């Protein structure tokens, strides 16, 4: 492998972009792990054995949201992993760019990325033995030019021992404090499992939605209830997303989701419609906002209700319309050539009446 450039460096190793000299035109990422300078020779030998065991496990992973590990070897007491080089921005760079332009990442976009990340982690955690990443953070998640999420940097990856469910380190390291749970502060002596990755994923989503990472677990342990919720920092975050992230960031592992599948269902289900309705009917939302946002839908529902009411109100048998009746007409016929004199006959109870027959030819 011909090293082209340094991509990233940490306290326990570095990652390089390299050219594969055996496969012309192929570029890859080479991850080198620096040995612990304080480790004894037998510890280094054990670490080397673990590296080969776990690197072979990584090489068997095949998922669209994970870079493919193609090679691993040791040289001069250093261990190397070779995997696909993933072009594009990482999420830390993406977030910085968006904030600089004055518009933070939208919840819809972040949840779309979270869906892909959950898919990758669920795949890793269901391997035999389960594989943990242990260093999930925005800078270890890249967006390809095609828009696909890739969870990169397997420098701290571990597998779970089936005997006692404790973890065995591939490469020494402790991750970044803002994104790791309290149990991971113990390094290799601490008990970590799939719930540790869930904590790191929740901390990553917290950072992407609020623009700042959560307080690290040690500060939260010393000062309980000191961490502000995502919704408190960004009112545009829905209640459903806010509660799911806070659940994943519980201090004790037993208080977190037991699996990525459980966290995913809480975070994403029942989908965007529920999140929109929750946001619209929140205390900060108004009826006018709901009507404005759903004008077309409300019009359709109103039309359907009107049609239903007309159908139910119409009688089953409609009576026939009434037959038309003749309209009386007046006729005038000449019966006399003079105007008769009216005659009055008074009686105790009678009323006077007069009869007149007009004649068109009568003369005064």
């Amino acid at each position: 492998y011909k090293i082209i450039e340094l991509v990233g460096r940490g306290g326990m190793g570095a990652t390089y972009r390299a050219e594969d000299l055996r496969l012309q035109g192929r570029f890859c990422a080479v991850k080198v792990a620096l040995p612990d300078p304080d480790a004894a020779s037998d510890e280094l030998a054990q670490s080397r054995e673990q590296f080969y065991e776990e690197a072979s496990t990584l090489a068997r992973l095949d998922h669209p949201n994970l870079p493919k590990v193609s090679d691993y070897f040791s040289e001069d007491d250093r261990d190397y992993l070779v995997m696909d080089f993933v072009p594009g921005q990482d999420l830390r760079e993406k977030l910085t760019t968006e904030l600089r332009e004055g518009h933070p990442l939208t919840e819809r976009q972040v949840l779309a990325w979270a869906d892909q990340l959950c898919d990758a982690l669920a795949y890793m955690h269901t391997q035999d033995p389960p594989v943990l990443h242990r260093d999930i953070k925005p800078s270890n998640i890249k967006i390809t030019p095609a828009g696909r999420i890739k969870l990169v940097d397997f420098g701290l990856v571990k597998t779970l021992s089936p005997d006692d469910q404790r973890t065995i380190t591939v490469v020494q390291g402790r991750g970044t404090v803002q994104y790791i749970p309290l149990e991971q502060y113990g390094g290799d002596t601490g008990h970590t499992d799939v719930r540790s990755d869930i904590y790191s994923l929740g901390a990553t989503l917290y950072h992407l939605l609020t623009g700042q990472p959560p307080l690290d677990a040690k500060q939260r342990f010393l000062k309980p209830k000191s961490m502000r919720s995502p919704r408190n920092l960004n009112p545009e975050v829905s209640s459903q997303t806010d509660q799911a992230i806070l659940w994943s960031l519980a201090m004790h592992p037993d208080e977190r989701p037991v699996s990525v599948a459980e966290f995913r269902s809480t975070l994403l289900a029942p989908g965007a419609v529920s999140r929109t309705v929750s946001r619209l009917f929140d205390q900060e939302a108004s009826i006018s906002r709901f009507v404005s946002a759903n004008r077309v839908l409300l019009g359709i529902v109103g039309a359907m209700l009107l049609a239903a009411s007309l159908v139910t109100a119409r009688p089953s048998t409609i009576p026939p319309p009434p037959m038309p009746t003749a309209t009386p007409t007046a006729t005038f016929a000449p019966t006399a050539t003079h105007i008769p004199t009216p005659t009055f006959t008074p009686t105790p109870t009678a009323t006077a009446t007069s009869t007149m027959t007009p004649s068109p030819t009568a003369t005064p």
Side-chain angles (χ1 to χ4, degrees), residues 64-334:
N65 297 114
L66 300 174
K68 181 65 177 175
V69 174
S70 57
D71 198 4
Y72 51 93
F73 58 91
S74 299
E75 185 176 326
D76 296 333
D77 294 328
R78 296 183 178 185
D79 301 320
Y80 295 84
L81 277 176
V82 182
M83 60 190 74
D84 294 338
F85 180 78
V86 181
Q89 279 186 316
D90 63 52
L91 291 189
R92 181 182 60 180
E93 297 169 337
K94 177 71 172 175
L95 176 61
T96 300
T97 300
E98 296 294 322
L99 292 177
R100 188 183 300 119
E101 295 177 356
H103 45 82
L105 297 171
T106 65
E107 180 181 7
R108 179 179 181 182
Q109 179 63 81
V110 172
L111 292 184
W113 294 334
D115 191 26
Q116 297 185 55
L117 289 170
C118 287
D119 200 37
L121 288 174
Y123 171 80
M124 294 174 63
H125 293 171
T126 53
Q127 297 300 300
D128 187 17
V131 178
L132 309 181
H133 190 280
R134 297 217 326 150
D135 197 19
I136 303 169
K137 56 186 177 182
S139 59
N140 281 345
I141 304 168
K142 301 195 75 173
I143 312 174
T144 69
R148 183 179 294 277
I149 286 292
K150 293 277 188 177
L151 181 59
V152 300
D153 197 345
F154 289 96
L156 299 179
V157 77
K158 285 189 169 189
T159 58
L160 290 176
S161 171
D163 298 330
D164 59 3
Q165 289 297 297
R166 298 179 69 82
T167 51
I168 303 174
T169 305
V170 177
V171 179
Q172 301 292 326
R174 295 184 179 180
T176 305
V177 293
Q178 292 93 341
Y179 308 97
I180 62 173
L182 195 61
E183 68 267 18
Q184 200 168 321
Y185 273 78
D188 303 324
T189 61
H191 173 79
T192 54
D193 55 27
V194 298
R195 296 170 297 181
S196 303
D197 273 353
I198 292 173
Y199 182 100
S200 298
L201 176 58
T204 297
L205 299 179
Y206 183 107
H207 191 176
L208 295 176
L209 287 169
T210 66
Q212 63 185 59
L215 290 177
D216 66 74
K218 185 178 293 185
Q219 290 182 357
R220 295 175 57 200
F221 177 77
L222 297 174
K223 296 181 179 180
K225 300 182 180 180
S226 58
M227 187 183 71
R228 299 171 65 185
S229 70
R231 189 172 174 82
N232 183 269
L233 295 171
N234 180 5
E236 294 300 318
V237 175
S238 68
S239 298
Q240 177 175 327
T241 300
D242 182 77
Q243 293 302 313
I245 292 177
L246 291 177
W247 187 23
S248 70
L249 292 175
M251 291 293 291
H252 197 283
D254 292 344
E255 297 174 351
R256 300 176 207 147
V258 297
S259 67
V260 172
E262 184 177 26
F263 173 64
R264 183 184 195 173
S265 65
T266 303
L267 180 70
L268 302 178
V273 173
S274 174
R275 289 192 297 275
T276 301
V277 172
S278 174
R279 187 159 51 245
L280 289 173
F281 283 98
D282 193 82
Q283 293 180 353
E284 301 176 3
S286 63
I287 296 178
S288 61
R289 181 180 173 188
F290 175 75
V291 172
S292 177
N294 299 273
R295 185 174 301 167
V296 175
L297 178 61
L298 291 175
I300 296 174
V301 173
M304 295 175 64
L305 291 174
L306 178 60
S309 64
L310 291 175
V311 170
T312 55
R314 184 177 181 180
S316 57
T317 304
I318 301 177
M323 294 298 293
T325 57
T327 302
T329 57
T331 57
F332 295 89

Side-chain angles (χ1 to χ4, degrees), residues 48-60:
R48 177 66 46 77
E49 182 180 350
Q50 292 172 356
F51 169 78
Y52 276 99
E53 177 185 349
E54 306 303 337
S56 62
T57 299
L58 293 178
R60 292 193 295 268

